[in-house]
Amino acid sequence: MKRRQFLKGAGAAAVAAGAMTSTTAQAAPEFKWKMVTTWPKNFPGLGTGANYLAKLINEMSGGRIKVKVYGAKELVGALEIFDAVSRGTAEMGHGAAYYWKGKSRAAQFFAAVPFGLTAQEMNSWLYHGGGMELWEEIYAEFGLVPGAAGNTGVQMGGWFNKEINNVADLEGLKMRIPGLGGEVLKRAGGTPVLLPGGEIFPSLQSGAIDATEWVGPYNDLAFGLHKAAKYYYYPGWHEPGTTLECFVNKEALEALPKDLQVIVRNAIRVANQDMLADFTAKNNRALEQLVTQHKVELRKYPDEVLEKLKALSDEVVAEEAAKDPKTKKVFESFVQFRDQAVKWHGVSEQAYLNARTLS
Ligand code: CA
């Protein structure tokens, strides 16, 4: 008798579940959203990460929200997405916060800081160390709700046609390196050059620039940078865990029913984790290919060079933070978190990674 009742109950539950599935599958989207991005359409890792996020929102909402992704220049230019979402031309934007330095200097701390936080540490600071609240406060002025939507992990130091054996080797070096890292190179005697992704390879090949950084093995291999430079330096001290972002127009988000708001926020969180996993897996394979197949010379920056770059980075970042009170507030939270992470990760991640390579 008990068994029959159980089966009857299970059957009813299955029917109910089936009914729910078919209802949601048939529903027309209640919200049609646009996502504008700073990446060329389907750009490996970053553009595909934006596509994945849109797909997640479509699926998690059972089709109630339909997000259409636009590559750079399809709807607005790459660096116009912040304004476009702020004024409501699109509901969502996918980019990196350091692009909006001109809107808010503090934004840079939510993307990448030289000698700053790794991917794992960025997520910890944002979700459980007060970072997210600060980011929300900064973007609220623009009518935007930010979210971390991906991470490249530690990037590579860059491509060179000569060895970097000491700080003097950086003098006079024309290198494509944006943002705060570029300012650090300048103080080390180099000349930072700003170039969009598409112009990097021809500039390096023609000798218009001496060196370049880009992302990591996966993206660098796709650009063919190994064909224009011999030495591949590590680590990417200037971008130790670059965080990508998805910001949402605040009014559009708040116009959604509560359950859909939770879905959007959590889809962004899932996409954040997934991009790091994607980059890690693909960088593993691409590095092997660069070294074994393309015979790239892998080089570690000498400690002397890294020490100097770190000292200059601390100087540059502190000066940047002192320029306005909002940036200072974010900087203080960031630095306090980093100091703690240096201690904890010194006896955990770092100690383990060192131990793992002992022979
Ligand atoms: Ca980079």
Side-chain angles (χ1 to χ4, degrees):
M1 183 60 199
K2 269 183 187 167
R3 187 168 176 271
R4 206 180 306 153
Q5 274 174 341
F6 171 77
L7 287 174
K8 202 176 156 192
V15 168
M20 271 168 65
T21 308
S22 67
T23 309
T24 49
Q26 283 161 11
E30 294 164 37
F31 301 91
K32 287 186 178 174
W33 276 19
K34 300 183 191 81
M35 185 199 289
V36 286
T37 70
T38 54
W39 328 114
K41 187 87 178 167
N42 304 324
F43 189 78
L46 308 172
T48 54
N51 295 346
Y52 175 67
L53 172 56
K55 184 170 167 268
L56 268 181
I57 295 173
N58 295 345
E59 288 177 359
M60 286 166 77
S61 70
R64 289 158 68 201
I65 310 177
K66 180 102 184 135
V67 181
K68 184 169 161 52
V69 180
Y70 294 86
K73 292 185 198 167
E74 283 189 324
L75 197 63
V76 295
L79 299 182
E80 288 160 17
I81 68 160
F82 191 89
D83 287 335
V85 178
S86 178
R87 68 173 176 257
T89 303
E91 288 78 9
M92 315 181 89
H94 196 282
Y98 49 27
Y99 293 137
W100 324 122
K101 181 192 167 184
K103 313 262 174 212
S104 167
R105 190 172 283 110
Q108 298 172 96
F109 286 88
F110 305 108
V113 170
F115 291 94
L117 304 177
T118 64
Q120 188 179 342
E121 292 165 356
M122 270 304 281
N123 288 329
S124 307
W125 176 56
L126 291 172
Y127 296 141
H128 297 286
M132 209 59 237
E133 288 82 356
L134 290 168
W135 198 357
E136 283 178 2
E137 198 180 307
I138 299 289
Y139 276 30
E141 281 177 49
F142 304 93
L144 298 172
V145 179
N151 203 300
T152 63
V154 182
Q155 297 200 358
M156 284 295 282
W159 295 89
F160 298 80
N161 272 311
K162 67 169 192 178
E163 286 190 41
I164 303 298
N165 293 317
N166 48 55
V167 181
D169 287 329
L170 297 174
E171 275 170 32
L173 191 83
K174 273 180 86 176
M175 180 174 182
R176 184 269 180 196
I177 173 170
L180 294 169
E183 182 56 32
V184 173
L185 177 75
K186 197 159 138 191
R187 292 195 192 186
T191 307
V193 179
L194 269 179
L195 283 179
E199 287 172 36
I200 296 177
F201 178 77
S203 303
L204 190 60
Q205 203 176 33
S206 72
I209 54 171
D210 303 314
T212 188
E213 70 82 51
W214 179 225
V215 184
Y218 173 41
N219 293 110
D220 295 8
L221 175 67
F223 266 11
L225 297 178
H226 56 284
K227 293 175 200 157
K230 185 174 172 190
Y231 301 108
Y232 197 19
Y233 270 86
Y234 67 91
W237 54 272
H238 60 302
E239 294 197 65
T242 303
T243 299
L244 290 312
E245 65 178 0
C246 177
F247 46 81
V248 185
N249 179 283
K250 195 163 187 284
E251 274 178 38
L253 184 68
E254 286 169 0
L256 295 176
K258 190 78 187 142
D259 64 327
L260 291 183
Q261 291 186 33
V262 173
I263 282 170
V264 168
R265 285 180 183 271
N266 282 286
I268 293 172
R269 204 153 161 157
V270 171
N272 185 33
Q273 195 56 41
D274 188 74
M275 191 191 288
L276 178 64
D278 185 37
F279 265 109
T280 304
K282 290 188 172 124
N283 279 332
N284 287 349
R285 292 197 287 271
L287 179 66
E288 194 173 301
Q289 207 180 331
L290 283 168
V291 173
T292 57
Q293 197 177 325
H294 301 293
K295 311 292 177 206
V296 162
E297 301 246 6
L298 211 51
R299 291 278 191 282
K300 183 177 177 290
Y301 282 119
D303 286 350
E304 174 205 326
V305 172
L306 290 171
E307 268 171 44
K308 180 69 181 172
L309 292 170
K310 180 171 185 299
L312 292 172
S313 295
D314 288 348
E315 210 178 279
V316 165
V317 176
E319 280 175 29
E320 193 71 5
K323 287 176 185 168
D324 67 74
K326 279 177 201 152
T327 309
K328 189 161 182 282
K329 189 173 159 190
V330 176
F331 165 79
E332 279 167 0
S333 167
F334 185 93
V335 167
Q336 190 198 17
F337 194 90
R338 186 184 65 173
D339 290 348
Q340 286 180 337
V342 165
K343 288 176 196 146
W344 163 235
H345 275 169
V347 301
S348 56
E349 301 293 322
Q350 191 175 346
Y352 168 68
L353 291 175
N354 289 342
R356 193 168 67 176
T357 52
L358 292 174
S359 53

